[in-house]
């Protein structure tokens, strides 16, 4: 819906202005090495941005924008596909001609899927990320994964990011494709306790690298074998952040992705009328609290609070979420410009 996307064009043009200033003032950016902005969203995200820019006579020049559309979901193609099947070969880049008799399947084009040459611009590109066999989307998977995976859905400059990013579909309103996102840190590498290593006869050097990789080494005098567990610090748990968009239900796939999140951000648009909330495609504070309990989230931050809720009602919203949560999570209503610092190793509230 509009409240989640109307600011994109202004944000991109502001970022472009900043990049242009860096070029003008002899900064680090040049036209040959533009800052890259990656945007992820449902089908239609590219057309929305490109059309806004075209109709406002704005151009992307000093940055490069990559729009990744998450395709293959239940509501892929928007409300037009949900109410009537109008996707045709033309929407997918073909001729649009149908074989056989009978009337055409539609009288228009699917604005979510169609490619409009009239609004194309060189530095705004459209790409697709397909849903995987497990029912979710991989936006980024670090090449340094513990399982040895090297694939990534995103081209990045510089040092690879030490985290994975996934997306899963949630239920909002018919035809309105909505996602939740999870950012999960890689398991941090265990470091050497230098005092223990020296005491066992291993000084700083290449052997430390092998020990960090889990490989036993000989002591410096060659008389004994040193096991990595003898000199490594305890394992540090990776941190996980989950952000769920507008929804009235969270499917099992997304619930699984959120499991054990340090921070779960979930809407609580309607205070405590579940029938009213779900009819509008939204959730209550109690629904948010119950989900946090189900996924064992350590902290729940509730957002998207109705404008009809007064400041005095905030305590009531928090109370309803806590009752449904039964003490599984720390709970608070989020506010603008709030910052939450998750310590290394994640939250521990016991």
């Amino acid at each position: 819906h509009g409240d989640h996307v109307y600011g994109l064009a202004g944000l991109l043009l502001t970022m472009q202005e900043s990049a242009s200033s860096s070029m003008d003032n002899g900064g680090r950016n040049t036209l040959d090495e533009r800052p890259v902005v990656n945007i992820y969203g449902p089908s239609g995200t590219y057309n929305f941005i490109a059309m806004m820019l075209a109709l406002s006579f704005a151009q992307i020049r000093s940055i490069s924008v990559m729009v990744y559309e998450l395709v293959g979901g239940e509501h892929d193609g928007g409300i037009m596909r949900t109410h009537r099947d109008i996707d045709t070969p033309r929407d997918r880049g073909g001729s649009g001609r149908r074989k056989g008799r009978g009337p055409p399947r539609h009288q228009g084009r699917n604005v979510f899927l169609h490619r409009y040459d009239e609004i194309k611009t060189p530095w705004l590109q459209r790409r697709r990320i397909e849903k995987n066999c497990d029912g979710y989307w991989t936006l980024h998977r670090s090449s340094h994964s513990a399982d040895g995976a090297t694939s990534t859905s995103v081209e990045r400059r510089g040092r690879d990011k030490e985290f994975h990013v996934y997306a899963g579909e949630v239920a909002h309103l018919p035809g309105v494709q909505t996602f939740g996102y999870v950012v999960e840190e890689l398991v941090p590498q265990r470091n050497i306790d230098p005092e223990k290593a020296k005491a066992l006869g291993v000084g700083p050097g290449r052997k430390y690298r092998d020990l960090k990789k889990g490989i036993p080494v000989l002591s410096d005098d060659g008389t004994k074998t040193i096991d990595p567990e003898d000199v490594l610090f305890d394992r540090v748990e990776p941190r996980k952040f989950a952000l769920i968009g507008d929804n009235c239900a969270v499917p099992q796939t997304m619930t699984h992705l959120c499991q054990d999140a340090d921070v779960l951000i979930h809407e609580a648009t309607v205070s405590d009328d579940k029938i009213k909330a779900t009819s509008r495609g939204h959730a209550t504070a109690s629904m948010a609290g119950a989900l946090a309990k189900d996924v064992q989230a350590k902290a729940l931050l509730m957002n998207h609070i109705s404008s009809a809720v007064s400041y005095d009602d905030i305590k009531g919203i928090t109370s309803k979420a806590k009752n449904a949560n039964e003490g599984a999570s720390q709970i608070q209503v989020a506010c603008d410009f709030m910052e939450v610092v998750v310590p290394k190793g994640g939250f521990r509230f016991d």
Side-chain angles (χ1 to χ4, degrees):
H1 281 133
D3 56 321
H4 298 274
V5 295
Y6 285 150
L8 275 174
L11 174 63
L12 291 175
L13 294 175
T14 299
M15 297 176 75
Q16 173 165 258
E17 185 66 25
S18 176
S20 298
S21 297
S22 179
M23 294 176 192
D24 295 341
N25 297 327
R28 63 179 180 83
N29 298 322
T30 66
L31 284 176
D32 294 329
E33 191 171 329
R34 307 164 190 265
V36 178
V37 179
N38 296 310
I39 298 174
Y40 302 86
S43 297
T45 302
Y46 172 87
N47 283 347
F48 174 77
I49 297 172
M51 186 65 76
M52 279 202 302
L53 294 172
L55 293 180
S56 60
F57 301 97
Q59 294 184 12
I60 297 296
R61 291 175 174 171
S62 52
I63 60 175
S64 180
V65 181
M66 305 299 301
V67 179
Y68 293 89
E69 295 185 334
L70 313 185
V71 299
E74 181 178 352
H75 298 292
D76 186 22
I79 196 168
M80 299 177 72
R81 175 176 282 184
T82 300
H83 290 310
R84 55 190 179 128
D85 186 5
I86 68 169
D87 184 24
T88 70
R90 178 179 284 128
D91 292 324
R92 300 185 296 273
S95 66
R97 296 178 179 176
R98 300 178 69 247
K99 296 180 179 180
R101 298 179 181 178
R105 292 168 60 190
H106 70 94
Q107 299 298 326
R109 297 175 293 188
N110 189 314
V111 297
F112 294 88
L113 303 173
H114 191 74
R115 295 181 180 275
Y116 298 90
D117 291 338
E118 304 93 327
I119 58 175
K120 287 176 62 177
T121 183
W123 298 108
L124 177 66
Q125 300 294 317
R126 183 187 208 177
R127 296 187 181 178
R128 295 158 55 97
I129 300 179
E130 300 283 348
K131 183 170 67 173
N132 62 30
C133 60
D134 293 318
Y136 61 90
W137 290 261
T138 300
L139 277 56
H140 175 74
R141 186 161 179 80
S142 172
S143 61
H144 300 142
S145 301
D147 59 8
T150 58
S151 63
T152 177
S153 301
V154 181
E155 293 179 3
R156 296 181 182 273
R157 293 173 179 161
R159 186 170 176 269
D160 188 24
K161 303 299 182 182
E162 299 295 327
F163 51 77
H164 307 311
V165 184
Y166 306 113
E169 213 166 9
V170 297
H172 183 28
L173 290 170
V176 181
Q177 192 171 32
T178 310
F179 295 99
Y181 298 90
V182 170
V183 180
E184 185 173 10
E185 186 180 33
L186 269 68
V187 177
Q189 188 178 53
R190 296 170 66 185
N191 290 321
I192 296 287
D193 184 333
E195 298 303 321
K196 287 184 178 180
K198 290 176 184 177
L200 292 172
V202 181
R206 296 184 61 182
K207 292 180 181 179
Y208 278 21
R209 186 187 312 166
D210 290 336
L211 288 167
K212 287 182 179 181
K213 294 179 180 179
I215 303 172
V217 301
L218 287 174
S219 59
D220 292 342
D221 61 9
T223 61
K224 55 186 175 183
T225 299
I226 309 302
D227 190 84
E229 291 299 323
D230 296 334
V231 297
L232 291 175
F233 284 113
D234 292 337
R235 181 179 182 272
V236 176
E237 292 296 324
R239 291 166 287 187
K240 181 189 284 191
F241 168 82
L243 169 64
I244 299 182
D246 291 7
N247 77 90
C248 59
V250 180
Q252 185 176 0
T253 299
M254 188 65 212
T255 300
H256 178 72
L257 289 175
C258 295
Q259 197 68 39
D260 299 319
D262 289 285
V263 177
L264 170 66
I265 296 182
H266 191 285
E267 66 138 293
T269 305
V270 180
S271 178
D272 203 33
D273 188 338
K274 186 174 181 179
I275 295 176
K276 177 182 177 181
T278 54
S279 68
R280 297 179 178 182
H282 289 293
T284 66
S286 296
M287 293 164 67
L291 178 69
K293 176 189 174 185
D294 289 344
V295 302
Q296 289 297 294
K298 298 180 181 69
L300 167 66
L301 297 178
M302 294 180 291
N303 68 350
H304 209 273
I305 309 299
S306 170
S307 59
V309 175
S310 68
Y311 179 79
D312 293 334
D313 293 332
I314 294 295
K315 287 184 178 179
I317 290 175
T318 305
S319 177
K320 291 178 175 67
K322 287 182 176 179
N323 289 339
N325 185 261
E326 297 181 339
S329 316
Q330 298 291 312
I331 298 176
Q332 189 171 343
V333 172
C335 61
D336 291 343
F337 308 113
M338 174 186 281
E339 294 184 5
V340 177
V341 177
V342 181
K344 186 175 182 180
F347 283 133
R348 280 179 173 74
F349 294 120
D350 342 302

